[in-house]
Amino acid sequence: QKEVEQNSGPLSVPEGAIASLNCTYSDRGSQSFFWYRQYSGKSPELIMFIYSNGDKEDGRFTAQLNKASQYVSLLIRDSQPSDSATYLCAVGVTGTALIFGKGTTLSVSS
Amino acid sequence: ETGVTQTPRHLVMGMTNKKSLKCEQHLGHNAMYWYKQSAKKPLELMFVYNFKEQTENNSVPSRFSPECPNSSHLFLHLHTLQPEDSALYLCASSQERASSYEQYFGPGTRLTVT
């Protein structure tokens, strides 16, 4: 069974620190990787996607992909209280809809 | 309207009622999805439609009945629900069902079954 694993948290970081969110996946044929942010009571919002090994940066966010280790991460630099949310990792595998992890709750304290 | 819209945003219904949730996407996508998210639980994929054809039904009880009349509209018909069906119901769309495409979510319908 194809799985996407995330530490549920909560991950607590002080304002201004770097938050590191991690995700592992089971299917080596996975092709696409997405990070969603979900505020409490709201719907998931796409914030990053990455397809190739290495780093992809967008503002304060950096997605890192290592297909050999079946590992994808999201770094949030200069964390703000407004970044406090649940972050969902989603993985695309041929022949299926996206597979979502259970999410990691991030809490940024001011 | 832009993106993915859902109506109603909130719904309270009794166990004997029949109601429908509506989703509309304005992104020109060809795939649409229904998800259920119960309190403090992960997303559960319910149904997938690709080019109006249902491609996935993840063992969803028959009291939930989807309908996709065209690539822009998706409905979820509800009847004889149970209190444990209370949850946030999310609609999403993507370019196609293929795994490489990102999904965009609507705001959700908060359903309470009494």
Side-chain angles (χ1 to χ4, degrees), chain A residues 77-106:
Chain A
R77 289 182 300 282
D78 188 24
S79 295
Q80 301 296 310
S82 58
D83 295 325
S84 298
T86 296
Y87 290 81
L88 304 175
C89 172
V91 175
V93 179
T94 301
T96 71
L98 292 185
I99 301 171
F100 284 84
K102 295 182 179 180
T104 298
T105 300
L106 172 67

Side-chain angles (χ1 to χ4, degrees), chain B residues 4-87:
Chain B
V4 181
T5 59
Q6 290 186 245
T7 55
R9 296 291 306 276
H10 299 272
L11 178 63
V12 179
M13 59 186 290
M15 291 190 286
T16 58
N17 290 159
K18 290 184 179 181
K19 296 287 185 182
S20 295
L21 310 184
K22 178 183 176 182
C23 175
E24 183 174 1
Q25 59 92 3
H26 309 267
L27 300 169
H29 289 166
N30 296 300
M32 297 187 77
Y33 310 78
W34 279 118
Y35 288 89
K36 174 185 177 182
Q37 190 173 41
S38 302
K40 300 191 185 300
K41 289 189 176 181
L43 287 172
E44 297 176 47
L45 179 64
M46 300 175 73
F47 302 104
V48 181
Y49 278 83
N50 198 40
F51 292 94
K52 301 190 299 179
E53 298 298 319
Q54 187 179 129
T55 58
E56 288 184 48
N57 174 342
N58 284 348
S59 303
V60 179
S62 59
R63 58 185 183 269
F64 295 91
S65 175
E67 178 189 1
C68 188
N70 54 60
S71 292
S72 298
H73 293 86
L74 184 64
F75 295 88
L76 187 62
H77 304 299
L78 317 171
H79 64 96
T80 325
L81 294 191
Q82 304 300 308
E84 60 265 29
D85 296 323
S86 298

Side-chain angles (χ1 to χ4, degrees), chain A residues 1 11 33 36 38 42 60 78 83 87 92 98 103 106-107:
Chain A
Q1 184 167 345
L11 173 66
F33 307 85
Y36 287 82
Q38 186 175 24
K42 303 295 185 182
R60 295 187 296 113
D78 188 24
D83 295 325
Y87 290 81
L98 292 185
L106 172 67
S107 177

